[in-house]
Amino acid sequence: MSRPVGRGDNRTDGPTRPFAVTEDELEQAVRETFARRVAVARPLVADPAGLAIRRADRSRRRRTLTGIALAAVATVTVSVGMAQLGQQPGRPTRPTVVLGDPYASPLPDPAPQLSAAPQPDLGRGEVDLVLNDVLVTASGQRIALPDVGTAAERAQRLPEGAGWAVVGASTAAGRSLWIVLPNGAAHLLLAGAREIVLSPDGRQVAWREGADLVVAGIVGGQVVAVARTPSPPDAVPVGFAGDTVVVRLDPGRPGHALWRPAAGPPRGAGDGALHVYGTRPDGLAVALVSAGTPRRPCVALLDPARDLAPVRTGCGPALAGDGAGGVSADGRWLLANGKAGPQDRAVLVDLDRLAPAPATHPAGPPVAGPVAWTPQGTAHYSDAAGALVRIEVSRVLDGEAALSAPVTGLPAGARPVPVGGDRRS
């Protein structure tokens, strides 16, 4: 058999179509290729979830670096402050720090119990008590205060059951203000202040910071709407009359001022006022004044709307000049230190019967701490021996002696601190 002539595959001897391409045709082909690529939608390089994760990682790294920087600054600041305190003992160099930590950690649970846990029958169910480093509520709940410390000087309930405000005693570094929540969490709101006072309703706080007086609202356990003004070197806030701050100009002399933040610096008023015990629901301030002939301490009702001008004054009982005492919730009674005959006693003064001489009644041992009144008309305070004293107005008017009870389980020198404020607010 003979082989066919030619190639044995499907290849031909030459191209069936021409491959000669001109420069113009090549340029046109490239343009078309790029145009088609641009018209086609490209897939995403990274999915949205991955992009969100990377953004979160970058934010977390930024917060971490910021936190480290702030911690370093805080460490340096505290170190410098401690060094300055060491150079000037007894004088805080940076008076006040507003911390406002909204993420305070709960305190240990259960709260540690005091040895021989103090549960006096007198006044139980009426007021809360701070007993060393434990807050015992009227209902029997015990909240440990290890971070607050054992130097609580005053405490007050916050409105709407938001907790308690605890003011520390004066130290070389100044005073502090703690907010304690019902669940036991606590955070430091102010530190290093020269003096701290709370409004009767617990919605405002005023303090002395360096050369300034400062006032702010308390909302959600934080300070808001802060206002400040320069003040004389010895001026300190001592109370509130509505939204007005009552300022004592010099602890060693009579004279007060009123500070209305919207109206400018404090304005002198009440030149004869020695001490302001508090305010009544009608807005009048209850004060110890120097009046009469010869001059002697008297009780007066002063009108803040008229620059603390006296409305009524009563002289007669020998009241102590220490300013210890408090005004009842209804504004009818003043419990203050004075004399009953030759003895130093706490006396009950009827503020509705001041002229010509106030009606007074011996009430109990002298007051040695803050006085907490209940809406029902009972007063609680600690005496010099650390006993808890309960004053019931109706019994005092009947001539009965005030009842007191020692509180066991407290360290030597410690006193119970009754908590002011209405538990129903």
Side-chain angles (χ1 to χ4, degrees):
M1 183 173 66
S2 62
R3 294 177 60 85
V5 179
R7 299 180 66 91
D9 53 22
N10 61 355
R11 292 179 294 175
T12 62
D13 293 334
T16 59
R17 59 180 180 178
F19 278 92
V21 180
T22 66
E23 184 176 348
D24 292 340
E25 291 174 337
L26 179 61
E27 183 178 341
Q28 181 64 29
V30 171
R31 285 198 181 97
E32 292 177 357
T33 301
F34 280 123
R36 285 195 297 270
R37 288 186 178 182
V38 172
V40 176
R42 303 287 297 175
L44 292 176
V45 177
D47 63 296
L51 181 60
I53 292 172
R54 287 197 297 275
R55 287 178 177 174
D57 290 339
R58 287 197 298 270
S59 298
R60 185 165 52 252
R61 286 195 296 270
R62 284 197 298 268
R63 287 196 300 268
T64 301
L65 293 175
T66 303
I68 294 173
L70 289 176
V73 172
T75 302
V76 172
T77 303
V78 170
S79 302
V80 173
M82 293 180 66
Q84 291 174 337
L85 284 175
Q87 296 170 1
Q88 299 180 4
R91 292 184 60 85
T93 56
R94 183 71 183 109
T96 304
V97 178
V98 180
L99 298 179
D101 177 13
Y103 305 106
S105 302
L107 298 181
D109 187 31
Q113 300 291 315
L114 292 175
S115 59
Q119 293 290 345
D121 292 332
L122 303 174
R124 186 177 180 183
E126 291 182 313
V127 296
D128 305 335
L129 296 172
V130 177
L131 305 174
N132 196 39
D133 58 354
V134 175
L135 190 151
V136 181
T137 69
S139 62
Q141 180 187 6
R142 300 170 63 83
I143 299 176
L145 307 176
D147 292 335
V148 178
T150 61
E153 184 177 83
R154 286 172 284 127
Q156 183 171 322
R157 273 190 169 266
L158 297 174
E160 282 85 42
W164 301 264
V166 181
V167 179
S170 179
T171 66
R175 295 182 184 272
S176 60
L177 174 64
W178 288 81
I179 298 297
V180 181
L181 303 180
N183 65 356
H187 66 269
L188 183 63
L189 193 63
L190 300 173
R194 179 172 164 187
E195 186 58 75
I196 299 174
V197 294
L198 295 161
S199 63
D201 60 6
R203 299 180 187 275
Q204 298 180 87
V205 59
W207 67 95
R208 174 67 187 254
E209 177 180 331
D212 294 344
L213 293 174
V214 189
V215 66
I218 300 178
V219 177
Q222 308 298 324
V223 292
V224 298
V226 178
R228 64 178 62 238
T229 186
S231 65
D234 294 321
V236 293
V238 295
F240 280 84
D243 293 332
T244 301
V245 182
V246 181
V247 180
R248 183 157 191 179
L249 298 174
D250 188 336
R253 296 185 299 175
H256 286 70
L258 297 176
W259 178 32
R260 301 176 178 90
R267 184 172 59 183
D271 293 340
L274 301 170
H275 183 79
V276 175
Y277 295 105
T279 54
R280 299 176 8 138
D282 60 8
L284 297 180
V286 181
L288 183 69
V289 302
S290 178
T293 305
R295 308 290 285 185
R296 59 190 185 277
C298 302
V299 179
L301 301 182
L302 310 179
D303 187 0
R306 296 190 294 131
D307 293 338
L308 296 179
V311 176
R312 292 194 301 274
T313 304
C315 300
L319 296 180
D322 57 8
V327 181
S328 63
D330 61 3
R332 172 72 185 275
W333 303 97
L334 167 66
L335 182 69
N337 283 340
K339 283 188 177 294
Q343 292 185 328
D344 292 330
R345 303 287 287 174
V347 296
L348 201 62
V349 181
D350 189 344
L351 298 176
D352 286 348
R353 297 173 55 193
L354 285 182
T360 61
H361 307 269
V367 177
V371 177
W373 281 90
T374 69
Q376 293 73 31
T378 59
H380 302 76
Y381 64 91
S382 61
D383 63 14
L388 182 64
V389 183
R390 178 181 184 270
I391 301 293
E392 188 173 342
V393 172
S394 59
R395 293 189 176 184
V396 171
L397 297 180
D398 289 338
E400 296 184 24
L403 300 174
S404 62
V407 180
T408 59
L410 292 177
R415 298 173 182 169
V417 178
V419 180
D422 189 351
R423 292 190 295 116
R424 301 171 300 179
S425 63

